[in-house]
Amino acid sequence: MGCGTVLEDNIIVSEVQFVESGGGGSSAVGQFVSSESENRIPAFGESHIAGIGRASRAQTLQKARLHINTLGHQLKMNQHCLDTAFNFYRMALTKHLTNGRKCGHVIAACLYLVCRTEGTPHMLLDLSDLLQVNVYVLGKTFLVLARELCINAPAIDPCLYIPRFAQLLEFGEKNHDVAMTAMRLVQRMKRDWMHTGRRPSGLCGAALLVAARMHDFCRTVKEIVSVVKVCESTLRKRLNEFENTPTSELTIEEFMRVDLDQECDPPCYTDGLKKKKIKQLEVELKKKMDDVEDEIHDYEDEIDAELESVRPKLRGVYAAYTKQEEEDVKDDVLSPSSKVSDDGDEEAEEELQAVAKHFGKELGELTLEALLKLEKKRPEEEEEEEEEEEGGVPRRKGPTLESILGRMPTASTLGLSESISNCIGHEKENDGAADSGELDLSGIDDSEIELYLLDDREIRVKTALWMAENSDYLKEQREKEVKIAKEKELGIYKEKKPRGPSRKRAPIRASTADEAIGKMLEQKKISSKINYDVLKDLNIKPGASPARVVESPKKEPSAAKLTGRNRHPARAPLSLSTPLSTLGKRLPINNI
Amino acid sequence: MHEEKAPYGILAAPHNFHMDSGNDDALDIIITNVVATFKTRCHLNLRTIALEGVNVIYKPECGKVLMKLRKPKITASIWSSGKCICTGATSEDDAKRGARRLARCIQKLGFKVRFSAFKVVNVLAVCSMPFSVQLIDFTKNNRPIASYEPELHPAATYRIKHIKATIQVFSTGSITVTGPNVQNVATAVEEVYPLLFECKKPLRK
């Protein structure tokens, strides 16, 4: 410590000193330090920077306050609410909730939060009307805000909205009476479980309509809708639901006097009950239908048989089948078919029985014979599948198609054998194989996948169709390419490189502060105005000039801090020969 | 009769709560949607896929191809980077099978597909309580985990942070649960059941 050492700088004192300025006036000594600027102790050389009290955070807050006041006055909210809203906004700022959100949305959400906590009759819809923003977008912001700030907004009570709507509907002197009636109605609705999960404005609308009519005001549905902002069908639905409650049976005087004790079930529950009843009825009807259908099928078969007798007869084995007598073969065939079905699933058995019953015995015998004919050794399951299929496919057409079609396609020719075994058997999953990147093909039927791919002709057709449909998009693409080519020729074209992930710089590890600062300066070339070499020299020679040494480390952090924020890039370069007196006014005069 | 939606499991109503009705009903949790992603580790030409596939919709503005499979019933969005998202499956196994089918399909079109990084991202299940729920009481008891905004959505939302599940409770007593996998969904239902039971609404028969 020698002569000229700065012992303390910018001390915070509680006394006020005055200094005479050039024109004869006096000004207080000191600087304004903003309470919101984070721990930025103004260092030695900084004090002459303009606007030190106007940190960016303060600016943001000021703008926000302005917006809040504007919106609040439009909504006619009192000053206390606006102040609370501003506090909410400040909390949101500190929690970085404004990042990535439009500041208008955040402000609206803060205002609505205040409305909810204070219980003012403002709806989210009003705010969205003012801002011309979708309600659900605002709602999302509001929910996030409420969650992050841990503010429990009380649930909306529809009774809050009634006085407001009543005023808009202009009931004149009887305003209060109508409002009270409407409130009673709403409370009744609440007890009847009509209000859970519904918009409160809808309930209010219905209550006000009824109350108005009770007091001999004829307000049409349209007027109510324009005030309450729900649609007509909602209003009508609420009225219908209210109609279903026992309270609707009371007369006006009774309603005002008496309050029924019993509570209703919620309307969605009664609706659910109704649906169940309808379903039950349907099931019963279906059973009856089945019986009727059986009869119809019999008639159908007879008609088909007649038609077939008119058609050209086939030669060969199949003709024999069509001419065969039903009764003779029926018993023989049914027993083997029933044996087969015993082995298989219940579904197949049911199908077979249905087939045997409904379609005439020819089908059962035909399919079995056809299978035997095809002399493929297949598992019994597949036989059943086939029978099921063939039974299923020509269900309504009767047996004649089979004879006409001739040899039935087998499972293998259709390429379905594997898929059938898939349906019935197990599929083993090999998780280990999948992780290595290899595609595990177990359980995947290639031929089925083939069905998903088009063949050449179809590809051509689809290409043509797609080109036709997307011609606009393709034109745009071509124009873009032409533009890029032109620009390339002219040399203007700036290739838009896809931005890779921003590389995070390795954290600086240093033992002393000087080292850290030195490393940081190396990494980040901060300012072109600072002569780094001089600064480096200063660090090396500690004892050379104490005043300079003391200055320089102070300058470095200040330089680092300033340029880190990139606030005032254009500054007169600080050199060591700058006299202190030029560095700033209003400095406490130290004895240097 | 075929059950289209596979019920995941049977959850027995817990008996350690004071239940007046004393019923032994089991709660069916029905999984309605499973979303999974995987990567094919190779660049895909979307136009080829679009023009040669059967159930394919190409959206060049979004830069992706929508491919629908019939069995299992799955819709997949495929990007040219090789990333695919499959939605519409009804179980985790179904999702995996569908994803592998999809990869096989793309492989057949001529791309060198490798099936990697398969992950089930989201599971959506519905469950129906045998009673109705008073949403306002439910929200009051469970602040701030539960939130209810009748102006925005008719259901109350209950977010369980530690298992990352979200439950939406409707006043009829049915709930929808979304979570990262099926186990979490089941745990979430078990956790929320007692809370819902407290706010049960006595029904008039």
Side-chain angles (χ1 to χ4, degrees), chain A residues 137-346:
Chain A
V137 169
L138 275 186
K140 211 174 177 184
T141 321
F142 165 70
L143 283 173
V144 168
L145 220 65
R147 197 175 48 203
E148 295 299 318
L149 297 177
C150 303
I151 294 171
N152 298 327
I156 304 176
D157 194 6
C159 299
L160 285 174
Y161 292 141
I162 290 192
R164 176 187 156 185
F165 291 143
Q167 231 172 3
L168 287 170
L169 283 171
E170 291 170 12
F171 289 122
E173 291 164 349
K174 279 189 149 187
N175 205 338
H176 183 71
D177 295 328
V178 178
M180 291 314 291
T181 321
M183 261 198 248
R184 268 186 78 98
L185 280 166
V186 167
Q187 276 162 4
R188 185 66 231 166
M189 284 183 193
K190 273 205 244 180
R191 247 169 296 160
D192 285 336
W193 290 90
M194 267 173 62
H195 79 299
T196 333
R198 270 84 185 276
R199 285 238 177 113
S201 40
L203 281 178
C204 290
L208 273 171
L209 186 65
V210 175
R213 295 276 166 83
M214 277 162 79
H215 288 267
D216 300 322
F217 286 99
C218 48
R219 295 281 178 267
T220 59
V221 174
K222 280 210 179 133
E223 288 174 9
I224 303 247
V225 159
S226 63
V227 163
V228 162
K229 294 178 198 154
V230 288
C231 75
E232 278 189 46
S233 49
T234 315
L235 208 56
R236 233 166 251 141
K237 224 177 166 185
R238 300 285 167 269
L239 290 171
N240 285 339
E241 284 167 6
F242 191 60
E243 204 182 335
N244 291 338
T245 66
T247 317
S248 60
E249 309 288 319
L250 304 170
T251 67
I252 299 176
E253 293 87 26
E254 281 178 7
F255 175 71
M256 300 307 282
R257 278 183 290 118
V258 174
D259 200 22
L260 286 177
D261 276 333
Q262 54 176 177
E263 297 178 358
C264 283
D265 292 331
C268 35
Y269 178 74
T270 40
D271 284 343
L273 278 179
K274 269 193 214 161
K275 279 191 196 162
K276 270 195 205 165
K277 277 191 197 155
I278 292 174
K279 263 195 178 169
Q280 264 184 327
L281 280 174
E282 269 184 31
V283 167
E284 284 173 27
L285 276 175
K286 225 188 169 183
K287 281 190 204 153
K288 289 187 192 159
M289 281 270 289
D290 285 337
D291 299 331
V292 176
E293 270 187 18
D294 291 349
E295 284 187 50
I296 297 179
H297 284 321
D298 291 333
Y299 293 140
E300 271 188 11
D301 298 337
E302 288 180 23
I303 294 171
D304 284 327
E306 286 300 311
L307 283 173
E308 193 244 322
S309 59
V310 180
R311 283 209 192 102
K313 300 276 192 258
L314 275 181
R315 271 170 291 163
V317 187
Y318 292 95
Y321 289 119
T322 57
K323 285 190 203 142
Q324 255 182 351
E325 289 289 332
E326 303 176 6
E327 281 91 353
D328 299 328
V329 197
K330 173 172 81 173
D331 301 309
D332 298 322
V333 166
L334 274 182
S335 38
S337 75
S338 56
K339 263 194 226 153
V340 167
S341 62
D342 278 337
D343 298 332
D345 330 33
E346 284 194 357

Side-chain angles (χ1 to χ4, degrees), chain A residues 91-112:
Chain A
M91 283 202 280
L93 255 191
T94 51
K95 292 205 173 191
H96 307 291
L97 295 173
T98 49
N99 281 356
R101 295 195 174 89
K102 292 218 170 125
C103 92
H105 294 351
V106 180
I107 287 172
C110 290
L111 275 170
Y112 187 60

Side-chain angles (χ1 to χ4, degrees), chain A residues 504-516:
Chain A
K504 282 205 173 141
R505 279 195 219 107
I508 303 171
R509 287 179 219 284
S511 43
T512 68
D514 293 337
E515 221 183 293

Side-chain angles (χ1 to χ4, degrees), chain A residues 193 197 199 440 446 450 452, chain B residues 100 108 134 148 151 201:
Chain A
W193 290 90
R199 285 238 177 113
D440 179 29
D446 271 1
E450 296 272 333
Y452 283 116
Chain B
R100 289 201 284 115
K108 289 220 148 190
Q134 240 293 32
Y148 172 47
E151 282 196 16
K201 205 157 54 175

